[in-house]
Amino acid sequence: MNVIKIFSPATVANVSCGFDVLGFCLDTIGDEMLIRKTKEKGIRITKIEGYDLPFEAEKNVAGVSALALIEVAKPDCGFEIEIYKKIKPGSGIGSSSASAAGSVWAINELLGKPFSKAQITNFAMKGEALASGCEHADNIAPAIFGGITLVKSCAPLKVLEIPTPSALYATIIHPEIEIKTAEARAILPKQVDLQNAITQWANVGSLVHAMHTNDYDLIRESLHDVIVEPYRSQLIPYFNEVKTESIKSGALGAGISGSGPSIFALSKGKAAAEAVAHAMKKVYSQTDIQFNVYVSKINMEGIRVIKCN
Ligand code: HSE
């Protein structure tokens, strides 16, 4: 195999209570990337469509993760990367992770899969760090493993694959304002209140239990974030209205997707997720903020091959 074209999906990190540890993979939105083996060694980014991003490999998240991989693999060839960017940078649905994970996932395929998913995640984290200022894997892990993941630890990396109840659907609204992850992290407190911490880890534990037991009522009771959301929600216009209307229209829960500004909701069944989409649209339609809405099943596969030869 010399050329591979892949779909690298958008992801939702944090899932309300699981800041920096929980994430899930989306199906209906993602980037496409084409990676080609070259005789000349090294990594070259030869095409970027969709958004204005750096071509220098050292300054591009897809390039940085690919450089981390070839430093270890030492292949006797190089790679050209074409990026067809559909996920807007700074949208809160794992734009940088899709690029960072996509390049290394595809190169691993072209090399005959010498690395495990966990090793690929480690390389991709180097690219993610360029975008967000620190290495975290809560978007990268679901993009690579698919489904719902929990990053038990980053060093050493340990990713747990959490079962996904089959009727679980996500609704995402992306208001067209930009929030930089590094800035959304900078506003968070360095210390948290013990009572809030107790509430939060009870919610993470019960959310994971609910996923294992297909307990949609327990998902509803657990999708709460008392630590991060109170700070970051102030950066997102009409966040409280979108969350309230989503839940009123049948969502199990709603919260900030990653570091925002996108807002996600989880629902039982596609019809419910579409009713939530309608409710979310209605809120932003009454403002002058442009937006996009997506309804997606949880993507169990993660990054996938579109074609190869
Ligand atoms: N867990 C990260 C955050 C995800 O919320 O800052 C965004 O990259």
Side-chain angles (χ1 to χ4, degrees):
M1 200 199 304
N2 290 313
V3 188
I4 185 168
K5 187 168 188 187
I6 60 157
F7 170 77
S8 195
T11 45
V12 171
N14 301 339
V15 200
S16 289
C17 49
F19 180 66
D20 272 2
V21 299
L22 285 175
F24 63 79
C25 189
L26 296 169
D27 215 10
T28 47
I29 171 165
D31 295 343
E32 290 179 4
M33 300 173 81
L34 188 136
I35 288 96
R36 188 180 292 113
K37 275 187 189 168
T38 57
K39 284 204 182 97
E40 194 185 337
K41 289 191 178 182
I43 301 294
R44 273 164 305 282
I45 298 172
T46 52
K47 196 175 196 179
I48 303 176
E49 280 185 8
Y51 293 95
D52 195 13
L53 294 166
F55 276 81
E56 300 95 311
E58 301 75 18
K59 292 185 184 163
N60 182 300
V61 294
V64 170
S65 56
L67 287 167
L69 184 151
I70 62 168
E71 197 180 312
V72 176
K74 303 199 187 325
D76 56 9
C77 63
F79 299 92
E80 274 177 10
I81 303 175
E82 296 179 9
I83 304 170
Y84 300 89
K85 198 96 198 113
K86 311 268 169 69
I87 315 170
K88 188 176 181 200
S91 56
I93 47 173
S95 179
S96 53
S97 298
S99 297
S103 65
V104 285
W105 190 91
I107 291 173
N108 192 49
E109 295 287 308
L110 290 174
L111 292 175
K113 297 194 196 182
F115 297 111
S116 67
K117 287 181 178 178
Q119 287 171 308
I120 300 169
T121 304
N122 258 318
F123 296 130
M125 283 166 69
K126 306 287 177 209
E128 176 73 297
L130 179 73
S132 68
C134 69
E135 287 189 19
H136 57 95
D138 52 342
N139 285 107
I140 292 166
I144 290 174
F145 287 79
I148 304 171
T149 54
L150 187 148
V151 181
K152 163 83 176 69
S153 66
C154 281
L157 181 72
K158 188 167 175 88
V159 175
L160 306 181
E161 293 179 78
I162 310 296
T164 304
S166 60
L168 207 58
Y169 272 79
T171 312
I172 312 289
I173 188 157
H174 169 221
E176 295 248 348
I177 54 168
E178 190 177 341
I179 294 180
K180 292 206 160 63
T181 297
E183 286 165 18
R185 294 181 81 83
I187 64 163
L188 299 178
K190 299 284 170 280
Q191 283 166 346
V192 299
D193 174 74
L194 181 60
Q195 192 52 52
N196 281 343
I198 293 166
T199 303
Q200 196 89 348
W201 60 57
N203 281 334
V204 176
S206 62
L207 183 59
V208 171
H209 182 72
M211 297 300 180
H212 277 269
T213 53
N214 289 301
D215 187 338
Y216 293 91
D217 287 331
L218 190 57
I219 294 175
R220 187 196 314 278
E221 288 171 37
S222 312
L223 278 174
H224 301 290
D225 171 8
V226 296
I227 292 182
V228 175
E229 187 178 292
Y231 292 91
R232 287 185 170 173
S233 58
Q234 296 168 27
L235 304 176
I236 307 171
Y238 307 98
F239 172 80
N240 290 328
E241 288 84 345
V242 170
K243 181 172 173 174
T244 305
E245 292 306 314
S246 299
I247 293 168
K248 256 202 231 165
S249 68
L252 299 168
I256 302 170
S257 175
S259 55
S262 289
I263 302 168
F264 82 97
L266 284 174
S267 301
K268 183 178 182 185
K270 193 172 183 191
E274 279 166 356
V276 172
H278 182 74
M280 286 178 164
K281 275 184 203 167
K282 208 169 155 193
V283 174
Y284 276 110
S285 299
Q286 290 160 9
T287 74
D288 54 7
I289 300 171
Q290 301 295 306
F291 59 87
N292 297 298
V293 179
Y294 311 96
V295 172
S296 172
K297 209 168 168 19
I298 310 301
N299 170 357
M300 300 309 293
E301 192 184 1
I303 300 170
R304 60 176 177 261
V305 178
I306 298 173
K307 65 177 181 192
C308 57
N309 52 50

